[in-house]
Amino acid sequence: MTLKRIILGILTAIAIALVGLSLLASWNEPQIQSRLELYQTNLLLHASEWQPENNQSANLTSARNNIIGSEPLNTALTQYQAARDSTQKTLKKTQSEFKEVQSAIASKSEDNTLKFAQSKGLSESLKQQSALLNELDLRLGVLQASSDKTEAALPTWKNLIARYKNQIDYDYSVATAEVLTGIWSNPPQLLPDAEPRIQKSLDGWFRYRALAQLYKLQERSKELVALQAAEQVTAEQAVEKLAIIVGVPTISLCIGTVLLVGLSVQWLLQRKQLDKVGSGPLLARNASLTWDVPWDGEIVWQVLVVGFFFVGQILIPYLLLPVSLAVLKLNPATFDAREKAFYIFATYLLLSAGGLSVLYFSVKSFLPLPDGWFRINWRGNWFLWGFGGYFVALPLVVVVSLLNQQLWQGQGGSNPILPIVLEGRDNVALAVFFGTAAIAAPVFEEIVFRGFLLPSLTRYLPVSGAIAASAFLFAVAHLSVSEILPLATLGAVLGFVYTRSRNLLAPMLLHSLWNSGTLLSLFLLGGGAS
């Protein structure tokens, strides 16, 4: 065994360990999908308050009713109760795991270095889950009170208060629960700092409802009228956003389903035709056409382990970035949304440059490459393949995601960028995130996974096997266990589009469209939540 292979073996073991730990860490983390559903529910609640003026078309009222449904409050109650139950279940599970780890540390029966790290991670998860449970209890109570279920709302808030009785750690949401209990009690009990507590702990529709109740009790008619006027503006905007969030994906899903069915029928009817390049069923074109691969598996191994995992998961995050930040005296923990966006963008450019450099030097000795490698042709039909692949991917990924939700029950983690975008309000930060997700990521990832990995694997696997293997590695590389199935499905469509079009611009466009659609949904949902 050569020294190079020994080093690659060591780096492979480290890479597998890091990937395994990252996937394990995401096991108990909440999925972004659970939060997206609640954010969409918040938009639905806003939209339910919209009252069109008399001179507005009746069609607008009908459209609003179609979007929000007949019982928006009951729908929101069901979703928030489910989210609350799921969070409480996860919290109890995490508490049990934390106690087990603490017991193992106290016993001192083994080296506790890993246990201490696990304990720290579980402790942070407990804080996050407790804060989320408090937030859900506050909102659930407001929903119950607004649905004329005050007898259910008061115990919801009182249970929140009771959880912190005789505890040193006092959460600000407890003070808000006391305020809400007071203003919905009979007779009401108004606390002197009720309004600032509501303003700090509640947002969006929930803040409007609590403030409206407070202003009615305080007989502050001027403030109540101003609040109702502001809510109408927000409500009308919510209807427009819901129309985009619900309407555009629905239309795209219909187009994708029709396209998928049509292509499948064409393949079934014409599958007996000879599989020639550029002829026969569209789905079968280039289906068995492999690449001329001049290197062996060791080069593939080297590019993946050194270029992608070592550079991206070890060298840059643990060596280059900490040293650079120390020299510049910067602390990412103190960054605001805009600084965080630029930091993520710069980090991604660094790891992309490192990964592509390793790829270049790995294949440099084989230049010039055989025909078809890393092919980019601006005059080809890549545009149709990219858009068509996007529409076809939608119904496939949606079906897999629905099954995946049942499997993971809202757990399993998500891309850490997504919550930042969801909660962001800075347009510059959002533009930078767009540059990262919709431009930089598609270019780098498609060059590595579709441009290099997939064709290289055709030396050992049939084209379909290479598509599947590259899609799986593409999914695992995102380091969220719950996203493996949906991303593998997307990766398979990306690989399919590339093998049929033989043009990297096609999967790059598909990838960019997918990430752009995700960012747009997050932006609209996040902006409508407050």
Side-chain angles (χ1 to χ4, degrees), residues 472-484:
F472 175 74
L473 289 172
F474 168 74
V476 170
H478 286 76
L479 304 178
S480 292
V481 68
S482 69
E483 292 186 337
I484 289 179

Side-chain angles (χ1 to χ4, degrees), residues 45-63:
L45 290 169
H46 274 308
S48 68
E49 300 296 331
W50 184 46
Q51 300 296 330
E53 297 177 2
N54 294 332
N55 59 350
Q56 289 182 296
S57 171
N59 292 332
L60 293 177
T61 304
S62 177

